[in-house]
Amino acid sequence: MGTGKRGLITAAVTVVCAVTVLAAPGTAFAAPTPKPTATANPTAASPTPTNSPTLPPNKDLEAVRKKLDKLYHDAAVATDEYNAAQEKAQKQSAAIVELAKKIVEGQKKLDELKDRAGAAARAQYRTGGLPPTAQLMLSDDPQQFLDGAGRVLQGQRATKGLIGEMTRTQQDLQRYAADASDRWDELEANRRTKAAAKKKIKQQIAAAEKLQSQLEKKEKERLAELEREAAYRAQTAWLDSGILKEINGKASKQGKQAVEFATAQIGKPYVWGAEGPESYDCSGLTSQAWAKAGRPIPRTSQEQWKQLKHVDIKDMRPGDLIIYFDDASHVAMYVGDGAIIHAPRPGRTVTLAGAGEMPILGIVRPDA
């Protein structure tokens, strides 16, 4: 880094600009938004599909359904990786900006100290280069010697203090530069992580869309029925356990605000990496809902699971977050009466669904 003030400022501004570019989120890959359909009651049964000998047997389409579930699940895992890298990049870029400011301020301070040191050197030159002590010893005026002795001691202390301050400032600048370099390396590593996650997301979504495109219209309708039936069976099994008899928690004030926000987003499309206001992914919806309620929470479902307080399912109340799957790759907001609001997956919209339609890992409470 240059020693001149102009060079330091230019370098710092360059760092800030570069950080802004590196930290910018990638372009979201939006899956086609389906035509709006009426949302089924999460606790209501789905109609039984009619059999037709001209269509593939149910077991073949059931295999397709499971394959699609896996593809979208893998895309959700990659989305969490992307969002986590993005969140870290934002923090690292902010840290680099602060370090750049400290470097500029430190260099300015060092320049001022050097100016003071130069002034002292010039004063000594004007007196013939003799140290102040020697000048006093050669003086034939005893009173001048006595008066000057105190000033000499003060000057020596000031010089020593000036040298010490310059040394500390130089050490601070070296430390800031090293910290900035480390942060930059971390930012670059996160950029690569984001790029890899983005590539995987697109691959998984593309594979799912290709698989769906190979189906005829009636096969797609049958597949949709199978999906609804699978969700209904899971929700029914969850409700049949008697869980709703145990869940009677009332929403907190912030919980009500979070639920109101999530409810207002129903119908908006799922887009991976999105956190509003026009589209959301699963954790983008829940994190924004609680941010609007005045309680910022982690951006990803996995970090929400790690950092927020866990509560027993029987103590669940509206506004709590339900974390799904063993890898905590999906999150939804409980809204009461056995229902959730969530952003399901690409090609779908924010919707009301049954809380038991997916395997529950646990419950977390943002406003504990």
Side-chain angles (χ1 to χ4, degrees):
M1 185 162 296
T3 57
K5 185 185 302 180
R6 181 174 300 175
L8 247 300
I9 294 175
T10 302
V13 171
T14 302
V15 167
V16 173
C17 294
V19 167
T20 302
V21 173
L22 273 181
T27 303
F29 181 88
T33 305
K35 295 180 180 179
T37 56
T39 304
N41 185 309
T43 58
S46 301
T48 303
T50 56
N51 292 320
S52 171
T54 62
L55 297 177
N58 276 349
K59 64 179 181 180
D60 291 342
L61 282 176
E62 178 64 12
V64 171
R65 184 187 70 79
K66 290 181 179 179
K67 177 64 175 176
L68 287 172
D69 282 349
K70 184 178 187 310
L71 288 170
Y72 283 123
H73 172 266
D74 291 346
V77 173
T79 298
D80 239 25
E81 293 173 359
Y82 176 91
N83 290 336
Q86 173 66 14
E87 187 175 36
K88 289 180 182 177
Q90 290 173 345
K91 293 178 180 178
Q92 289 159 355
S93 62
I96 291 175
V97 169
E98 289 303 312
L99 286 169
K101 291 178 180 178
K102 288 182 178 179
I103 289 172
V104 172
E105 293 170 357
Q107 186 61 54
K108 181 180 178 181
K109 180 180 179 181
L110 185 60
D111 289 342
E112 292 174 350
L113 292 172
K114 286 181 178 179
D115 287 342
R116 288 168 55 189
R122 288 191 295 271
Q124 182 176 343
Y125 176 78
R126 284 195 297 270
T127 60
L130 290 175
T133 305
Q135 294 178 37
L136 290 173
M137 292 294 292
L138 294 174
S139 173
D140 56 4
D141 186 343
Q143 187 60 44
Q144 181 185 5
F145 178 87
L146 293 174
D147 293 343
R151 290 195 298 272
V152 168
L153 291 175
Q154 291 176 355
Q156 289 175 340
R157 285 195 291 266
T159 300
K160 184 177 180 180
L162 179 62
I163 293 173
E165 192 171 2
M166 288 177 63
T167 300
R168 288 191 297 273
T169 302
Q170 289 174 327
Q171 291 173 343
D172 287 343
L173 285 171
Q174 292 173 351
R175 186 174 69 255
Y176 295 153
D179 289 346
S181 177
D182 291 342
R183 294 287 186 175
W184 188 269
D185 290 342
E186 292 173 359
L187 188 63
E188 179 62 18
N190 269 315
R191 186 195 65 78
R192 292 192 295 268
T193 300
K194 282 172 56 181
K198 181 177 180 179
K199 182 178 180 181
K200 184 175 181 179
I201 294 166
K202 288 189 172 184
Q203 288 175 339
Q204 299 299 318
I205 294 175
E209 291 175 340
K210 181 179 180 180
L211 182 59
Q212 289 171 300
S213 70
Q214 296 172 350
L215 301 175
E216 299 294 335
K217 180 180 178 180
K218 289 186 177 181
E219 292 173 331
K220 291 179 180 178
E221 292 173 352
R222 174 75 60 78
L223 178 63
E225 290 176 347
L226 290 176
E227 290 175 347
R228 287 192 293 270
E229 285 183 339
Y232 170 73
R233 287 194 300 270
Q235 175 71 355
T236 299
W238 187 68
L239 293 174
D240 286 348
S241 68
I243 189 65
L244 285 189
K245 295 179 181 178
E246 298 183 38
I247 300 175
N248 53 18
K250 294 183 179 180
S252 64
K253 180 179 178 181
Q254 285 183 309
K256 289 179 180 178
Q257 293 173 336
V259 170
E260 288 173 1
F261 178 88
T263 302
Q265 312 314 308
I266 289 177
K268 293 184 178 181
Y270 176 106
V271 174
W272 66 266
E275 46 188 336
E278 301 301 326
S279 56
Y280 297 89
D281 62 19
C282 67
S283 57
L285 175 64
T286 55
S287 60
Q288 285 301 302
W290 273 100
K292 294 297 182 182
R295 174 68 170 93
I297 63 174
R299 170 63 176 88
T300 69
S301 59
Q302 292 177 344
E303 288 304 310
Q304 289 170 8
W305 174 244
K306 289 179 183 178
Q307 297 185 34
L308 300 181
K309 180 182 179 181
H310 293 203
V311 297
D312 195 282
I313 195 168
K314 65 181 178 61
D315 298 321
M316 186 165 58
R317 67 190 188 192
D320 287 347
L321 305 182
I322 303 181
I323 308 297
Y324 292 96
F325 304 108
D326 290 342
D327 53 9
S329 57
H330 190 70
V331 60
M333 180 175 292
Y334 184 66
V335 295
D337 296 326
I340 57 171
I341 290 177
H342 71 145
R345 72 186 196 193
R348 302 289 172 82
T349 61
V350 177
T351 188
L352 184 72
E357 292 184 5
M358 297 168 285
I360 295 174
L361 176 61
I363 315 299
V364 293
R365 178 164 296 163
D367 62 337

